[in-house]
Amino acid sequence: METDAGKIAILGAGPIGLEAALYARYLGYQVDVYEQGTVAENVGDWGHVRMFSPFGMNRSTLGLAALAAQDPNWTPPDDDALLTGAEWADRYLLPLAESDLLRGHIHQATRVVGVSRADALKHELIGDDERRRQPFRLLLEAADGQRTAEANLVIDATGTYGNHNWLGRGGLPAVGEAEAAAKIGYRVPDVLGRERDDYAGQHTVVLGAGYSAATTVRDLAQLAREVPETRVTWLVRGDRPPGEPIARIEDDTLAERDALARHVAAVVEADDGPIDFHAATAIERISVERNDVTDEDGSLVVETSGRTETQLRCDRIVANVGYHGDRQLYEQLQVYECYATGAPMKLAASLVGQTSADCLRQSFGGPELLVTSEPDFYILGSKSYGRDSRFLVAIGLAQVRELFSSIAGRESLNLYQDVAGLISK
Ligand SMILES: Cc1cc2nc3c(=O)[nH]c(=O)nc-3n(C[C@H](O)[C@H](O)[C@H](O)COP(=O)(O)OP(=O)(O)OC[C@H]3O[C@@H](n4cnc5c(N)ncnc54)[C@H](O)[C@@H]3O)c2cc1C
């Protein structure tokens, strides 16, 4: 398939939006990246977390070449270095956004409100070539108001981190969850750093059985060693075998990831440890108490159901219960989505067939998986996986490479390989 991509709009300046923009600029396309916050905004939010995958999996050869060309004295991190999110952003992503090919093409503080065809509604021009001929119309919002922009091809790389799941049973909000929002965090808090005061000496209820929840629990356990009044109740929706609060991946090749799983298992097992762990238990209802003296919101009262039915009082909740992409962004487009994950259908169907919990054991099946039912509209990066949390940056780089070989209609096009050859000469 060859597309007259002309003007490309990329939504989101996260790692995959940046890499897609760089690839497109190398190929000479006209590119505009729209970012609602600042470059690598979400990575910055979890900047205190050390990544599982080494730097060599989180950078492209094009990125390295762009930065080396920019500054001959620039030294990249070692390929086997395990960087924190903040180090990755500071040493690679932010300089990349400032490199000659990208500078001036990234519109920060510009939120994409929605994408449509210029003059066709969602239900019009079904299967009609006229739909493809119409440019996309983007509604943008910045501090100075709203404006529109046009593009011939759109890549949605807005991620999932900004759209949390609800913490109640069955994925609905728990009763009272919205009212208690000020005391509930859905991201991975920096409890040993910038958010320490919010958690030190407090009782926090943590929900979730993934690596984000485990990271939060590990850091809170460390905080409890430093400030002994700190207490943690950890609730996990599913049943868990004894001694394994989160699933471990057999023969895990990512040592940091396996170390985290083993660490939290040991912390939970410790007899007088700070973690009170309950499997097969969910939150049913949350209410906010008023502080009689200050008349401000006080503690939270949490009612649980399942194996442990109880009522407990806490100061905060951290719900690391997953994220999903913002599908409203393209609700005027004809994107066929998976009914289970919300990801574009072809890619979602291929992921359903790959059952390993280990994201390293995934294969990327080729450019046709990226094609949606809306011509020239693509979803890349973590959003392309919908509710499936196995996305890796390395997969996103493969998506970028495959997409542009498909757009250019040249199966052999692989700038990553070509540039790697030049770098090693
Ligand atoms: C704690 C944590 C640790 C992780 N560790 C690893 C790891 O070790 N290795 C690995 O491979 N992966 C890891 N991941 C998974 C994944 O690779 C990262 O989440 C990665 O940042 C995804 O990149 P992305 O570009 O798809 O999305 P994001 O990084 O989420 O970027 C999306 C961008 O789009 C912007 N945006 C959103 N909505 C709009 C809008 N409407 N208009 C304009 N801009 C918008 C956001 O502000 C953001 O800048 C981790 C994820 C988390 C949460």
Side-chain angles (χ1 to χ4, degrees):
M1 173 197 58
E2 186 171 357
T3 305
D4 178 15
K7 202 170 170 191
I8 299 182
I10 297 179
L11 321 186
I16 304 307
L18 287 175
E19 294 282 5
L22 187 67
Y23 210 104
R25 291 281 294 132
Y26 258 97
L27 291 175
Y29 291 109
Q30 199 181 328
V31 177
D32 285 289
V33 183
Y34 301 103
E35 164 56 49
Q36 66 180 0
T38 53
V39 168
E41 173 101 358
N42 288 341
V43 175
D45 190 88
W46 53 266
H48 57 287
V49 178
R50 193 160 297 286
M51 300 182 76
F52 298 141
S53 55
F55 178 67
M57 289 176 68
N58 307 328
R59 60 37 171 193
S60 69
T61 45
L62 272 194
L64 295 184
L67 290 170
Q70 194 76 24
D71 175 5
N73 296 322
W74 178 74
T75 46
D78 289 342
D79 266 356
D80 55 4
L82 293 171
L83 305 179
T84 62
E87 288 165 347
W88 184 34
D90 288 345
R91 298 191 61 187
Y92 179 71
L93 299 171
L94 298 178
L96 203 57
E98 281 301 314
S99 64
D100 284 342
L101 280 170
L102 292 188
R103 196 180 326 116
H105 295 265
I106 303 175
H107 310 273
Q108 300 191 67
T110 305
R111 187 170 76 89
V112 181
V113 180
V115 188
S116 70
R117 287 286 175 179
D119 272 311
L121 306 184
K122 187 180 183 78
H123 61 283
E124 293 174 341
L125 301 177
I126 300 167
D128 188 327
D129 270 355
E130 169 56 19
R131 205 172 165 90
R132 162 169 266 145
R133 281 193 286 274
Q134 286 197 11
F136 289 98
R137 181 170 183 271
L138 281 72
L139 179 61
L140 307 172
E141 193 165 76
D144 56 357
Q146 292 194 336
R147 66 182 198 276
T148 59
E150 284 200 344
N152 306 102
L153 188 145
V154 173
I155 297 173
D156 180 351
T158 53
T160 61
Y161 199 59
N163 306 292
H164 65 79
N165 294 335
W166 295 106
L167 64 79
R169 278 171 56 199
L172 291 178
V175 177
E177 182 172 343
E179 289 76 23
K183 288 176 176 265
I184 305 176
Y186 297 91
R187 299 181 166 215
V188 182
D190 186 7
V191 302
L192 296 171
R194 60 183 196 268
E195 293 167 81
R196 184 186 173 97
D197 289 351
D198 293 337
Y199 293 90
Q202 304 283 299
H203 179 196
T204 303
V205 171
V206 180
L207 284 105
Y211 292 102
S212 293
T215 301
T216 302
V217 168
R218 180 198 59 198
D219 291 353
L220 283 170
Q222 173 61 31
L223 186 60
R225 276 190 282 279
E226 296 167 18
V227 184
E229 299 78 33
T230 307
R231 287 173 53 214
V232 185
T233 302
W234 186 8
L235 307 180
V236 167
R237 187 168 57 94
D239 206 359
R240 299 293 321 143
E244 208 178 292
I246 67 165
R248 271 184 72 191
I249 290 165
E250 217 181 302
D251 303 324
D252 197 341
T253 44
L254 294 180
E256 184 85 359
R257 183 171 63 178
D258 195 45
L260 174 62
R262 282 187 284 110
H263 182 89
V264 289
V267 171
V268 164
E269 289 298 297
D271 281 343
D272 54 353
I275 312 292
D276 186 13
F277 177 75
H278 300 269
T281 302
I283 289 186
E284 201 63 40
R285 175 186 293 271
I286 307 166
S287 32
V288 186
E289 287 187 330
R290 294 298 290 173
N291 184 316
D292 291 340
V293 183
T294 62
D295 199 32
E296 287 173 351
D297 285 351
S299 303
L300 297 177
V301 178
V302 171
E303 285 174 37
T304 64
S305 63
R307 184 170 301 151
T308 308
E309 272 186 42
T310 190
Q311 196 177 72
L312 51 94
R313 189 168 268 100
C314 68
D315 301 291
R316 310 189 74 82
I317 297 174
V318 176
N320 290 144
V321 291
Y323 309 92
H324 57 271
D326 174 5
R327 292 149 63 201
Q328 272 187 346
L329 207 62
Y330 52 79
E331 69 177 351
Q332 287 303 328
L333 299 180
Q334 297 174 348
V335 179
Y336 180 31
E337 295 168 329
C338 171
Y339 48 80
T341 63
M345 192 60 194
K346 287 184 184 169
L347 180 54
S350 97
L351 289 171
V352 167
Q354 299 184 34
T355 49
S356 171
D358 184 357
C359 39
L360 275 187
R361 287 173 203 160
Q362 301 167 73
S363 55
F364 181 64
E368 66 283 358
L369 294 183
L370 298 172
V371 174
T372 72
S373 29
E374 182 68 54
D376 303 328
F377 178 78
Y378 301 94
I379 301 174
L380 300 195
S382 50
K383 187 172 187 175
S384 68
Y385 270 44
R387 285 164 188 263
D388 187 324
S389 61
R390 290 176 294 168
F391 177 80
L392 280 181
V393 178
I395 291 281
L397 295 175
Q399 291 179 337
V400 170
R401 187 193 64 226
E402 300 266 0
L403 175 62
F404 283 99
S405 84
S406 159
I407 291 170
R410 274 169 53 206
E411 215 178 297
S412 60
L413 179 70
N414 183 349
L415 289 184
Y416 291 155
Q417 206 173 46
D418 299 347
V419 170
L422 290 177
I423 290 176
S424 59
K425 273 182 194 159

